[in-house]
Amino acid sequence: MSVAQAWDADKARTRITELEGLPGALLPILHSLQEEFGYIDEAAIALIADALNISKAEVHGTISFYHDFRHSPPGRHTLKICRAESCQSMGCDKLISHVENRLGAKLGQTTEDGSFTAEQVFCLGLCALSPAVMLDGKPYGRVTADVADSLIDGARRRM
Amino acid sequence: MSTRIYVPCDAAALAMGADVVARAIETQIAARRLDAEVVRNGSRGMFWLEPLVEVDTPKGRVGYGRVIPEAVEGMFDRNLIEGGAHPLCIGLTEEHPYLKKQERLTFARCGITDPLSIDDYKAHNGYRGLQRALNMSASGIVDEVLNSGLRGRGGAGFPTGIKWRTVLNTAADQKYIVCNADEGDSGTYADRMIMEGDPFVLIEGMTIAGIAVGATMGYIYIRSEYPHAVRTMRRAIEIARANGYLGTNVCGTGKSFDLDVRMGAGAYICGEETSLLESLEGKRGQIRPKPPLPAIQGLFGKPTVMNNVISLATVPIILDKGAEFYRDFGMGRSRGTLTIQLAGNIKYGGLVEKAFGITLREAIYDFGGGTATGRPLRAVQVGGPLGAYFPESLLDTPLDYEKFAELKGLVGHGGIVVFDDTVDLAKQARFAMEFCAIESCGKCTPCRVGSTRGVEVIDRIIANEDRTKNLELLDDLCELLLDGSLCALGGLTPYPVLSAVRYFPEDFSKPASLPVASLSAQEKQPWH
């Protein structure tokens, strides 16, 4: 379950200070902020640029380059569905349509009630057990429509 | 001594419920007051059997496959603790034909030991390669790797020893070892298995590399899709440091070498070595033109050894048993073993480590048992998203870098994705272009623009618009990508596309069908 906190500039500064001395600190900082808040707030750009003595454009460009870094808070649960070749060979397209219908949200979107964010991912390294998904960081293999339903229902009950 | 019951902690085992099974076993041990303990091992790589529970008995480790928590009580009733008979029992794990027919060198320990026990590691020949290396000259270590014939297992197949020699011979105040653990190719998971199942072997391999070329710092760049591997590697590094195997005084020799784990952020291109270096430096993962080679100007502009996980994890056994031992496996210029990963529509998916030269057919049928769906096999893609699609008629091709290159294919990282007869190769070719468009770093025009044009051309072919003309155009476009791209992403995307057209022309001449839906672009919401 997501433990993300609301944006807090002081908390962000603390996290940035912890890591700013590392060589190549930008990615570790961005991961740390996303771990804390679930996304990278626009207000973080100036803080990071200042701490690392780089331009805001460089920070912005780096955030936008990587698929992982979100610009807005995710739902309480994040369901990542693999749609790379191995999972394609085992019918992930059908699984994805099923999940999108069930959630009422397309991959890349968050459900209206804020409970789920569904995301596409290209390979979870579970290719011997395709199709594979990851729910809140936990992996699942050989996922049928029924399994996906029970994962979604189970997560909804827990929140 | 208490009986050890093994339940894997590999992410694929977890994906089949290994944690719940481990808890059920612990509950039974406590309730029955047995003298037994649960050990979380890596995976043996027989994934259709996961969770594979094993019990250590005097006659060897007895395995139980596809264990579900509900079966655990019954297993204990039938004397699990002494390897008692049960419908889920597969007998002695080591005697299972899937393992017995393999030549496990790099994966010698994976699935056998507790990944985070350095004592287990040492008891199974761990750190013997480093010990030997510490008594050798730098040049002697590099020669050993060079003479073993080890070639980069990440995909390109460049001789590892030559990279090391270049870094050794380049004078600098600081050098680095970088491990490319951005295993993004679909159908591959060998790197993940090693990092989760035998992390010390990678640490040892990197330490040997550091000692050999005079690097004092190493980075392991792991993709963010592998959170379990990241956690295991970080803990293993702490343990190695606490035991004097990393730090400022490696094994009491006064030599320095330390490691850090960095996490990627979902960009496939960062598996390309120069893009990975940019990413490690905290930038957009845009590729760098070569030269300069990373071996001369790599991370932070310093000489850098950049190797794949499997290449580095193979170094300890080469140093332990000698170059000749390793070189004796394999065929032609492909020496040693290949870690084949059977994936996709396959009955017995898993890791098969065999000497180079095994044919695709042997791998897919003798080990993999054919398709999971039971339908006829129609295509296989070897080497990830940039590898060619081969038809059934090419299954007798041996897995060998040169043989595959002759057929305009890739052995790559050794992943084999099997498709049954429901696959539409026109759709797969379109996906190859679309994937390239999504993952292109944007640095060079052929890849950035050509991939999108490729999707459009294939769409027109599928829609039966001027097919002959558009197939010619696609050929032309692929030639441009092959010749004009800066790196392998744009440069090899034509492989799956052209092989699909060449070997499966019927899929490009069907009556016009509905347009293929594009992947949801997952555009990020702009900040307000």
Side-chain angles (χ1 to χ4, degrees), chain A residues 23-24 26-27 31 40 42 45 60-61 63 65-69 71 83-86 88-90 93 107-108 119-129 137 139-141, chain B residues 11-12 15 186-187 189 192 219 223-224 226 262-266 279 281-285 343-345 381 385 418-419 427-428 431 435 439 519-520 522 524-525 527-528:
Chain A
L26 184 50
L27 257 69
H31 276 302
I40 311 288
E42 193 177 6
I45 296 176
H60 183 292
I63 296 170
F65 183 86
Y66 295 96
H67 300 306
D68 276 6
F69 300 127
H71 291 190
R83 67 186 329 176
E85 289 88 343
S86 175
Q88 289 168 18
S89 78
M90 291 300 284
D93 287 350
L107 296 192
E119 291 178 344
Q120 70 181 4
V121 55
F122 292 104
C123 199
L124 293 165
L126 305 171
C127 320
L129 300 167
Y140 297 89
Chain B
S186 177
Y189 43 79
R192 183 185 61 66
Y219 290 95
R223 60 202 299 263
S224 61
Y226 285 0
R262 289 297 172 85
M263 196 157 78
S279 186
E281 291 181 8
K283 303 172 192 161
R284 293 163 67 89
N345 197 328
Q381 188 181 30
V418 176
F419 292 82
K427 208 176 150 195
Q428 296 307 122
F431 174 78
F435 184 72
E439 299 297 338
L519 302 179
S520 41
Q522 288 224 145
K524 295 180 190 184
Q525 300 298 312
W527 285 298
H528 304 294

Coordinates of all heavy atoms in Angstrom, one line a residue, chain A residues 23-24 26-27 31 40 42 45 60-61 63 65-69 71 83-86 88-90 93 107-108 119-129 137 139-141, chain B residues 11-12 15 186-187 189 192 219 223-224 226 262-266 279 281-285 343-345 381 385 418-419 427-428 431 435 439 519-520 522 524-525 527-528:
Chain A
P23 N 28.4 11.2 -5.6 CA 28.7 11.5 -7.0 C 27.5 11.1 -7.9 O 26.9 10.0 -7.6 CB 29.9 10.5 -7.3 CG 30.3 9.9 -6.0 CD 29.2 10.1 -5.0
G24 N 27.1 11.9 -8.8 CA 25.9 11.6 -9.6 C 24.7 11.5 -8.8 O 23.9 10.6 -8.8
L26 N 21.8 13.1 -8.7 CA 20.4 13.5 -9.1 C 19.5 12.3 -9.1 O 18.3 12.4 -8.5 CB 20.5 14.1 -10.5 CG 19.1 14.7 -11.0 CD1 18.4 15.5 -9.9 CD2 19.4 15.5 -12.3
L27 N 19.8 11.2 -9.6 CA 18.9 10.0 -9.6 C 18.6 9.5 -8.2 O 17.4 9.3 -7.9 CB 19.3 8.9 -10.6 CG 18.6 8.9 -11.9 CD1 18.9 10.1 -12.8 CD2 18.8 7.6 -12.6
H31 N 14.7 9.4 -6.8 CA 14.1 8.2 -6.2 C 13.7 8.4 -4.8 O 12.6 8.0 -4.3 CB 15.1 7.1 -6.3 CG 15.2 6.4 -7.6 ND1 14.0 5.8 -8.1 CD2 16.1 6.1 -8.5 CE1 14.4 5.2 -9.3 NE2 15.6 5.4 -9.5
I40 N 7.2 13.4 -8.0 CA 8.2 14.6 -7.9 C 7.4 15.8 -8.0 O 6.9 16.1 -9.1 CB 9.3 14.5 -9.0 CG1 9.9 13.1 -9.1 CG2 10.3 15.6 -8.7 CD1 10.8 12.7 -7.9
E42 N 6.6 19.7 -8.6 CA 7.3 20.7 -9.4 C 8.2 21.6 -8.5 O 9.2 22.1 -8.9 CB 6.2 21.6 -10.1 CG 6.8 22.5 -11.2 CD 5.7 23.2 -12.0 OE1 4.5 23.2 -11.6 OE2 6.1 23.9 -12.9
I45 N 12.0 21.0 -8.1 CA 13.0 21.2 -9.1 C 14.0 22.3 -8.7 O 15.2 22.1 -8.7 CB 12.3 21.7 -10.4 CG1 11.5 20.5 -11.0 CG2 13.3 22.1 -11.5 CD1 10.7 20.8 -12.2
H60 N 14.7 19.3 -14.7 CA 13.4 19.1 -15.4 C 13.6 18.0 -16.5 O 12.8 17.1 -16.6 CB 12.9 20.4 -16.0 CG 11.5 20.3 -16.6 ND1 11.4 19.6 -17.8 CD2 10.3 20.8 -16.3 CE1 10.1 19.6 -18.2 NE2 9.4 20.3 -17.2
G61 N 14.7 18.2 -17.3 CA 14.9 17.3 -18.4 C 15.2 15.9 -17.9 O 14.8 14.9 -18.6
I63 N 14.0 14.5 -15.1 CA 12.8 14.0 -14.6 C 11.9 13.5 -15.7 O 11.4 12.4 -15.7 CB 12.0 15.0 -13.7 CG1 12.8 15.4 -12.5 CG2 10.6 14.4 -13.3 CD1 12.2 16.5 -11.7
F65 N 12.8 12.6 -18.7 CA 13.4 11.5 -19.5 C 13.0 10.1 -19.0 O 12.8 9.2 -19.8 CB 15.0 11.7 -19.4 CG 15.7 10.7 -20.3 CD1 15.9 10.9 -21.7 CD2 16.1 9.5 -19.8 CE1 16.5 10.0 -22.5 CE2 16.8 8.5 -20.6 CZ 17.0 8.8 -21.9
Y66 N 13.0 10.0 -17.7 CA 12.8 8.6 -17.1 C 11.3 8.3 -16.9 O 10.6 9.1 -16.3 CB 13.6 8.5 -15.8 CG 15.1 8.6 -16.0 CD1 15.7 9.8 -15.9 CD2 15.8 7.5 -16.4 CE1 17.1 9.9 -16.1 CE2 17.2 7.5 -16.6 CZ 17.8 8.7 -16.5 OH 19.2 8.8 -16.7
H67 N 10.9 7.1 -17.4 CA 9.5 6.7 -17.2 C 9.0 6.7 -15.8 O 7.9 6.9 -15.5 CB 9.2 5.4 -17.9 CG 9.5 5.3 -19.3 ND1 9.0 6.2 -20.2 CD2 10.3 4.5 -20.1 CE1 9.4 5.9 -21.5 NE2 10.3 4.9 -21.4
D68 N 9.9 6.3 -14.9 CA 9.5 6.1 -13.5 C 9.0 7.3 -12.8 O 8.2 7.2 -11.9 CB 10.8 5.6 -12.7 CG 11.0 4.1 -12.8 OD1 10.3 3.5 -13.6 OD2 11.9 3.6 -12.1
F69 N 9.6 8.5 -13.1 CA 9.3 9.7 -12.2 C 8.0 10.3 -12.6 O 7.7 10.8 -13.7 CB 10.4 10.7 -12.3 CG 11.7 10.1 -11.8 CD1 12.9 10.2 -12.6 CD2 11.9 9.5 -10.6 CE1 14.1 9.6 -12.2 CE2 13.1 8.9 -10.2 CZ 14.2 9.0 -11.0
H71 N 4.7 13.0 -12.2 CA 4.5 14.4 -12.0 C 3.4 14.7 -11.1 O 3.1 15.8 -10.7 CB 4.3 15.1 -13.3 CG 5.5 15.2 -14.2 ND1 5.5 15.9 -15.4 CD2 6.7 14.6 -14.2 CE1 6.7 15.8 -16.0 NE2 7.4 15.0 -15.3
R83 N 4.0 -5.6 -20.5 CA 3.5 -5.8 -21.9 C 4.7 -6.0 -22.9 O 4.5 -5.6 -24.0 CB 2.6 -4.6 -22.3 CG 3.2 -3.3 -22.4 CD 2.2 -2.2 -22.7 NE 1.0 -2.6 -23.4 CZ 0.0 -1.8 -23.7 NH1 0.0 -0.6 -23.3 NH2 -1.1 -2.3 -24.3
A84 N 5.8 -6.5 -22.4 CA 6.9 -6.8 -23.3 C 6.6 -8.2 -24.0 O 5.6 -8.9 -23.7 CB 8.2 -6.8 -22.6
E85 N 7.5 -8.6 -24.9 CA 7.2 -9.7 -25.8 C 6.9 -11.0 -25.1 O 6.0 -11.7 -25.5 CB 8.5 -10.0 -26.7 CG 8.7 -8.9 -27.8 CD 9.6 -7.8 -27.3 OE1 9.7 -7.6 -26.0 OE2 10.1 -7.0 -28.1
S86 N 7.6 -11.3 -24.0 CA 7.3 -12.6 -23.4 C 5.9 -12.6 -22.8 O 5.2 -13.6 -23.0 CB 8.3 -12.8 -22.2 OG 8.0 -13.9 -21.5
Q88 N 3.5 -10.8 -24.0 CA 2.6 -10.8 -25.2 C 2.4 -12.2 -25.6 O 1.2 -12.5 -26.0 CB 3.3 -10.0 -26.3 CG 3.4 -8.5 -26.1 CD 4.3 -7.8 -27.2 OE1 4.6 -8.4 -28.2 NE2 4.7 -6.6 -26.8
S89 N 3.4 -13.0 -25.6 CA 3.2 -14.4 -26.1 C 2.3 -15.2 -25.3 O 1.8 -16.2 -25.7 CB 4.6 -15.1 -26.1 OG 5.0 -15.5 -24.8
M90 N 2.0 -14.7 -24.1 CA 1.0 -15.4 -23.2 C -0.3 -14.5 -23.0 O -1.0 -14.7 -22.0 CB 1.7 -15.7 -21.8 CG 2.7 -16.8 -21.9 SD 2.1 -18.4 -22.6 CE 1.3 -19.0 -21.1
D93 N -2.1 -8.7 -23.7 CA -3.0 -7.7 -24.2 C -4.5 -7.9 -23.7 O -5.1 -6.9 -23.3 CB -3.0 -7.7 -25.8 CG -1.7 -7.1 -26.3 OD1 -1.0 -6.6 -25.5 OD2 -1.5 -7.3 -27.5
L107 N -4.0 2.2 -18.7 CA -2.7 2.2 -18.2 C -2.1 3.6 -18.3 O -2.4 4.3 -19.3 CB -1.8 1.3 -19.1 CG -2.1 -0.2 -19.1 CD1 -1.0 -1.0 -19.7 CD2 -2.4 -0.7 -17.6
G108 N -1.5 4.0 -17.3 CA -1.0 5.4 -17.2 C -1.9 6.3 -16.5 O -1.6 7.5 -16.2
E119 N -0.1 1.0 -14.5 CA 1.1 1.4 -15.3 C 1.6 0.3 -16.2 O 1.5 -0.9 -15.8 CB 2.2 1.9 -14.4 CG 1.9 3.2 -13.7 CD 3.1 3.6 -12.8 OE1 4.0 2.8 -12.4 OE2 3.0 4.8 -12.4
Q120 N 2.0 0.6 -17.4 CA 2.7 -0.4 -18.2 C 4.1 -0.5 -17.8 O 4.7 0.5 -17.4 CB 2.5 -0.1 -19.7 CG 3.3 1.1 -20.2 CD 3.1 1.4 -21.7 OE1 2.3 0.7 -22.3 NE2 3.8 2.3 -22.2
V121 N 4.7 -1.6 -18.0 CA 6.1 -1.8 -17.7 C 6.7 -2.8 -18.8 O 5.9 -3.6 -19.3 CB 6.3 -2.3 -16.2 CG1 5.6 -3.5 -15.9 CG2 7.8 -2.4 -15.9
F122 N 7.9 -2.5 -19.2 CA 8.5 -3.4 -20.1 C 9.5 -4.4 -19.4 O 10.6 -4.0 -19.3 CB 9.1 -2.7 -21.3 CG 8.1 -2.0 -22.1 CD1 7.9 -0.6 -22.0 CD2 7.3 -2.7 -23.0 CE1 6.9 0.0 -22.8 CE2 6.3 -2.1 -23.8 CZ 6.1 -0.7 -23.7
C123 N 8.9 -5.5 -19.0 CA 9.7 -6.6 -18.4 C 10.0 -6.4 -16.9 O 10.6 -5.5 -16.4 CB 11.0 -6.8 -19.1 SG 11.6 -8.5 -18.7
L124 N 9.4 -7.4 -16.2 CA 9.7 -7.5 -14.7 C 10.7 -8.6 -14.4 O 10.9 -8.9 -13.3 CB 8.4 -7.8 -14.0 CG 7.3 -6.7 -14.0 CD1 5.9 -7.2 -13.6 CD2 7.7 -5.5 -13.1
G125 N 11.2 -9.3 -15.5 CA 12.2 -10.4 -15.3 C 11.5 -11.6 -14.8 O 12.1 -12.5 -14.1
L126 N 10.2 -11.8 -15.0 CA 9.5 -13.0 -14.6 C 9.0 -13.7 -15.8 O 7.9 -14.3 -15.9 CB 8.3 -12.5 -13.7 CG 8.6 -11.7 -12.5 CD1 7.3 -11.2 -11.8 CD2 9.4 -12.5 -11.5
C127 N 9.8 -13.7 -16.9 CA 9.4 -14.1 -18.2 C 9.1 -15.6 -18.3 O 8.5 -16.0 -19.3 CB 10.5 -13.7 -19.2 SG 11.1 -12.1 -18.9
A128 N 9.5 -16.4 -17.4 CA 9.2 -17.8 -17.4 C 7.8 -18.0 -16.8 O 7.3 -19.1 -16.9 CB 10.2 -18.6 -16.6
L129 N 7.2 -17.0 -16.3 CA 5.9 -17.1 -15.6 C 5.0 -16.0 -16.2 O 4.2 -15.4 -15.4 CB 6.1 -16.9 -14.1 CG 7.0 -18.0 -13.5 CD1 7.3 -17.6 -12.0 CD2 6.3 -19.4 -13.4
G137 N 4.7 -3.3 -5.5 CA 6.1 -3.8 -5.3 C 6.1 -5.4 -5.1 O 7.2 -5.9 -5.1
P139 N 5.6 -9.1 -6.7 CA 5.5 -9.7 -8.0 C 4.4 -10.9 -8.0 O 4.2 -11.5 -7.0 CB 6.9 -10.3 -8.2 CG 7.4 -10.6 -6.9 CD 6.8 -9.6 -5.9
Y140 N 3.8 -11.0 -9.2 CA 2.8 -12.1 -9.4 C 3.0 -12.7 -10.8 O 3.1 -11.9 -11.8 CB 1.4 -11.7 -9.2 CG 1.1 -11.2 -7.8 CD1 1.3 -9.8 -7.5 CD2 0.6 -12.1 -6.8 CE1 1.0 -9.4 -6.2 CE2 0.4 -11.6 -5.5 CZ 0.6 -10.3 -5.2 OH 0.4 -9.9 -3.9
G141 N 3.1 -14.0 -10.9 CA 3.3 -14.7 -12.2 C 2.1 -15.4 -12.6 O 1.2 -15.7 -11.8
Chain B
A11 N 12.5 -13.5 -6.8 CA 11.2 -12.8 -7.1 C 10.2 -13.6 -7.9 O 9.0 -13.5 -7.7 CB 11.5 -11.5 -7.9
A12 N 10.7 -14.5 -8.7 CA 9.8 -15.4 -9.5 C 9.2 -16.4 -8.6 O 8.0 -16.8 -8.8 CB 10.6 -16.1 -10.6
A15 N 6.6 -14.6 -6.8 CA 5.5 -14.3 -7.7 C 4.5 -15.5 -7.7 O 3.4 -15.4 -8.1 CB 6.0 -14.0 -9.1
S186 N 13.1 -8.3 -22.8 CA 12.1 -9.2 -22.4 C 12.6 -10.6 -22.7 O 13.3 -10.9 -23.6 CB 10.9 -9.0 -23.3 OG 9.9 -10.0 -23.0
G187 N 12.3 -11.5 -21.8 CA 12.8 -12.9 -21.9 C 14.0 -13.2 -21.2 O 14.6 -14.3 -21.3
Y189 N 16.3 -13.0 -17.5 CA 16.2 -12.8 -16.0 C 17.4 -13.4 -15.3 O 17.4 -13.6 -14.1 CB 14.9 -13.5 -15.5 CG 14.6 -14.8 -16.1 CD1 15.3 -16.0 -15.6 CD2 13.7 -14.9 -17.1 CE1 15.0 -17.2 -16.2 CE2 13.4 -16.2 -17.7 CZ 14.1 -17.3 -17.2 OH 13.8 -18.5 -17.8
R192 N 19.0 -11.0 -12.8 CA 18.2 -10.9 -11.6 C 18.4 -12.1 -10.7 O 18.5 -11.9 -9.5 CB 16.7 -10.8 -12.0 CG 15.7 -10.6 -10.9 CD 14.3 -10.6 -11.3 NE 13.8 -11.9 -11.9 CZ 13.8 -13.0 -11.2 NH1 14.1 -13.1 -9.9 NH2 13.4 -14.1 -11.8
Y219 N 30.3 0.5 -9.3 CA 28.9 0.8 -9.2 C 28.1 -0.4 -9.9 O 28.5 -0.8 -11.0 CB 28.5 2.1 -9.9 CG 29.0 3.3 -9.1 CD1 30.2 3.9 -9.5 CD2 28.3 3.8 -8.1 CE1 30.7 5.0 -8.8 CE2 28.7 4.9 -7.4 CZ 29.9 5.5 -7.8 OH 30.4 6.6 -7.1
R223 N 18.2 -2.0 -12.7 CA 16.9 -1.4 -13.1 C 15.9 -1.4 -11.9 O 15.9 -2.2 -11.1 CB 16.4 -2.1 -14.3 CG 16.1 -3.6 -14.1 CD 16.0 -4.3 -15.4 NE 15.0 -3.9 -16.3 CZ 13.8 -4.4 -16.4 NH1 13.5 -5.5 -15.7 NH2 12.9 -3.9 -17.3
S224 N 15.0 -0.4 -12.0 CA 14.1 -0.2 -10.9 C 13.0 -1.2 -10.8 O 12.3 -1.4 -9.8 CB 13.5 1.2 -10.9 OG 12.8 1.3 -12.1
Y226 N 13.5 -4.2 -10.6 CA 14.1 -5.3 -9.8 C 14.3 -4.9 -8.4 O 15.4 -4.9 -7.9 CB 15.4 -5.7 -10.4 CG 15.4 -6.5 -11.7 CD1 14.2 -6.8 -12.3 CD2 16.6 -7.0 -12.3 CE1 14.2 -7.6 -13.5 CE2 16.5 -7.7 -13.4 CZ 15.3 -8.0 -14.0 OH 15.3 -8.8 -15.2
R262 N 23.3 1.6 -7.6 CA 22.4 2.7 -8.1 C 21.3 2.1 -8.8 O 21.4 1.1 -9.5 CB 23.2 3.6 -9.0 CG 24.3 4.4 -8.3 CD 23.7 5.4 -7.3 NE 24.7 6.0 -6.4 CZ 25.3 7.1 -6.8 NH1 25.1 7.7 -8.0 NH2 26.2 7.7 -6.0
M263 N 20.1 2.8 -8.7 CA 18.9 2.2 -9.3 C 18.6 3.0 -10.6 O 18.6 4.3 -10.6 CB 17.8 2.3 -8.3 CG 16.6 1.5 -8.7 SD 15.6 1.1 -7.2 CE 14.8 2.6 -7.0
G264 N 18.2 2.4 -11.6 CA 17.7 3.0 -12.8 C 16.3 3.6 -12.6 O 15.8 3.6 -11.5
A265 N 15.7 4.0 -13.7 CA 14.4 4.7 -13.5 C 13.5 4.4 -14.7 O 12.8 5.2 -15.1 CB 14.6 6.2 -13.3
G266 N 13.6 3.2 -15.1 CA 12.6 2.7 -16.1 C 12.9 3.1 -17.6 O 12.0 3.2 -18.4
S279 N 23.5 8.2 -17.1 CA 22.5 8.0 -16.0 C 23.1 8.0 -14.6 O 22.7 8.6 -13.7 CB 21.6 6.8 -16.3 OG 20.6 6.7 -15.3
E281 N 25.8 9.3 -13.8 CA 26.3 10.6 -13.5 C 25.2 11.6 -13.1 O 25.4 12.7 -12.8 CB 27.1 11.2 -14.7 CG 28.4 10.4 -14.9 CD 29.2 11.0 -16.1 OE1 28.9 12.1 -16.6 OE2 30.3 10.4 -16.4
G282 N 24.0 11.1 -13.2 CA 22.8 11.9 -12.8 C 22.2 12.7 -13.9 O 21.6 13.7 -13.6
K283 N 22.3 12.2 -15.1 CA 21.8 13.0 -16.2 C 20.7 12.2 -17.0 O 20.5 11.0 -16.7 CB 22.9 13.3 -17.2 CG 24.1 14.1 -16.6 CD 25.2 14.2 -17.6 CE 26.5 14.7 -16.9 NZ 27.7 14.4 -17.7
R284 N 20.1 12.8 -18.0 CA 19.3 12.1 -18.9 C 20.1 11.0 -19.5 O 21.3 11.2 -19.8 CB 18.8 13.0 -20.1 CG 17.9 14.1 -19.7 CD 17.9 15.2 -20.8 NE 17.2 14.7 -22.0 CZ 15.9 14.8 -22.2 NH1 15.1 15.3 -21.3 NH2 15.4 14.3 -23.3
G285 N 19.5 9.8 -19.7 CA 20.3 8.7 -20.2 C 20.5 8.8 -21.7 O 20.1 7.8 -22.5
A343 N 11.6 -18.5 -22.1 CA 10.6 -17.6 -21.6 C 9.4 -17.6 -22.6 O 9.5 -18.1 -23.7 CB 11.2 -16.2 -21.5
G344 N 8.4 -16.9 -22.2 CA 7.2 -16.7 -23.1 C 6.3 -17.9 -23.0 O 6.0 -18.4 -21.9
N345 N 5.9 -18.3 -24.2 CA 4.9 -19.4 -24.3 C 5.7 -20.7 -24.2 O 5.8 -21.4 -25.2 CB 4.1 -19.3 -25.6 CG 2.9 -20.1 -25.5 OD1 2.8 -21.1 -24.9 ND2 1.8 -19.6 -26.2
Q381 N 11.8 -15.5 -30.6 CA 12.6 -14.3 -30.6 C 13.8 -14.5 -29.6 O 13.5 -14.7 -28.4 CB 11.8 -13.1 -30.2 CG 12.6 -11.8 -30.5 CD 11.9 -10.5 -30.1 OE1 11.0 -10.5 -29.2 NE2 12.2 -9.4 -30.8
P385 N 14.2 -7.6 -27.3 CA 13.4 -6.8 -28.3 C 14.1 -6.5 -29.6 O 13.5 -6.1 -30.6 CB 13.0 -5.6 -27.5 CG 13.4 -5.8 -26.1 CD 14.4 -6.9 -26.1
V418 N 9.3 -17.8 -26.8 CA 8.6 -18.7 -27.7 C 7.2 -18.2 -27.9 O 6.5 -17.7 -27.0 CB 8.5 -20.1 -27.1 CG1 7.7 -21.0 -28.0 CG2 10.0 -20.6 -26.9
F419 N 6.7 -18.2 -29.2 CA 5.4 -17.8 -29.5 C 4.7 -19.0 -30.2 O 5.3 -19.8 -31.0 CB 5.4 -16.7 -30.5 CG 5.9 -15.4 -30.0 CD1 7.3 -15.2 -29.9 CD2 5.0 -14.4 -29.5 CE1 7.7 -14.0 -29.4 CE2 5.5 -13.2 -29.0 CZ 6.9 -13.0 -28.9
K427 N 2.1 -7.6 -36.4 CA 1.9 -6.9 -35.1 C 3.2 -6.8 -34.3 O 3.5 -5.8 -33.7 CB 0.8 -7.6 -34.3 CG 0.0 -6.8 -33.4 CD -1.1 -7.6 -32.8 CE -1.4 -7.0 -31.4 NZ -2.2 -7.9 -30.6
Q428 N 3.9 -8.0 -34.3 CA 5.2 -8.0 -33.5 C 6.2 -7.0 -34.1 O 6.9 -6.3 -33.4 CB 5.8 -9.4 -33.5 CG 5.0 -10.4 -32.8 CD 4.6 -10.0 -31.4 OE1 3.4 -10.0 -31.0 NE2 5.5 -9.7 -30.5
F431 N 5.3 -3.6 -33.1 CA 5.7 -3.4 -31.7 C 7.1 -3.1 -31.6 O 7.5 -2.2 -30.8 CB 5.3 -4.6 -30.8 CG 5.8 -4.5 -29.4 CD1 5.2 -3.7 -28.5 CD2 7.0 -5.1 -29.0 CE1 5.7 -3.5 -27.2 CE2 7.5 -4.9 -27.7 CZ 6.8 -4.2 -26.8
F435 N 8.2 0.2 -29.7 CA 9.1 0.1 -28.5 C 10.3 1.0 -28.7 O 10.7 1.7 -27.8 CB 9.5 -1.4 -28.3 CG 10.3 -1.6 -27.1 CD1 9.7 -1.5 -25.8 CD2 11.7 -1.8 -27.1 CE1 10.4 -1.7 -24.7 CE2 12.4 -2.0 -26.0 CZ 11.8 -2.0 -24.7
E439 N 11.3 4.1 -26.4 CA 12.5 4.1 -25.6 C 13.7 4.8 -26.2 O 14.7 4.9 -25.6 CB 12.9 2.6 -25.3 CG 11.8 1.8 -24.6 CD 11.6 2.3 -23.1 OE1 12.5 3.0 -22.6 OE2 10.5 2.1 -22.6
L519 N 0.2 1.6 -28.1 CA 0.3 1.5 -26.7 C -0.1 2.8 -26.1 O 0.3 3.8 -26.6 CB 1.8 1.2 -26.3 CG 2.4 -0.1 -26.9 CD1 3.8 -0.3 -26.5 CD2 1.6 -1.3 -26.5
S520 N -0.8 2.8 -24.9 CA -1.1 4.0 -24.3 C 0.3 4.7 -24.1 O 1.2 4.1 -23.5 CB -1.8 3.8 -23.0 OG -1.2 2.7 -22.3
Q522 N 1.3 6.7 -22.1 CA 1.7 7.0 -20.7 C 2.4 8.4 -20.6 O 3.4 8.5 -19.9 CB 2.6 5.9 -20.2 CG 1.9 4.6 -19.9 CD 2.3 4.0 -18.6 OE1 1.5 3.4 -18.0 NE2 3.5 4.1 -18.1
K524 N 3.3 11.8 -19.3 CA 3.2 12.3 -18.0 C 2.3 13.6 -18.0 O 2.3 14.4 -18.9 CB 4.5 12.7 -17.4 CG 5.4 11.5 -17.3 CD 6.8 11.9 -16.7 CE 7.7 10.7 -16.8 NZ 9.0 10.9 -16.2
Q525 N 1.5 13.7 -17.0 CA 0.7 14.9 -16.8 C 1.6 16.1 -16.7 O 2.6 16.0 -15.9 CB -0.2 14.9 -15.6 CG -1.2 13.7 -15.6 CD -2.2 13.8 -16.8 OE1 -2.7 14.9 -17.1 NE2 -2.3 12.7 -17.6
W527 N 3.2 19.5 -15.2 CA 3.0 20.2 -13.9 C 2.1 21.4 -14.2 O 2.3 22.0 -15.2 CB 4.3 20.6 -13.4 CG 5.1 19.5 -12.8 CD1 4.8 18.7 -11.7 CD2 6.4 19.0 -13.2 NE1 5.8 17.8 -11.5 CE2 6.8 18.0 -12.4 CE3 7.3 19.4 -14.2 CZ2 8.0 17.3 -12.5 CZ3 8.5 18.8 -14.3 CH2 8.8 17.7 -13.5
H528 N 1.3 21.8 -13.3 CA 0.5 22.9 -13.5 C 1.2 24.2 -13.1 O 2.0 24.2 -12.3 CB -0.8 22.8 -12.7 CG -1.5 21.5 -13.1 ND1 -2.1 21.3 -14.3 CD2 -1.7 20.4 -12.4 CE1 -2.6 20.1 -14.3 NE2 -2.4 19.5 -13.2

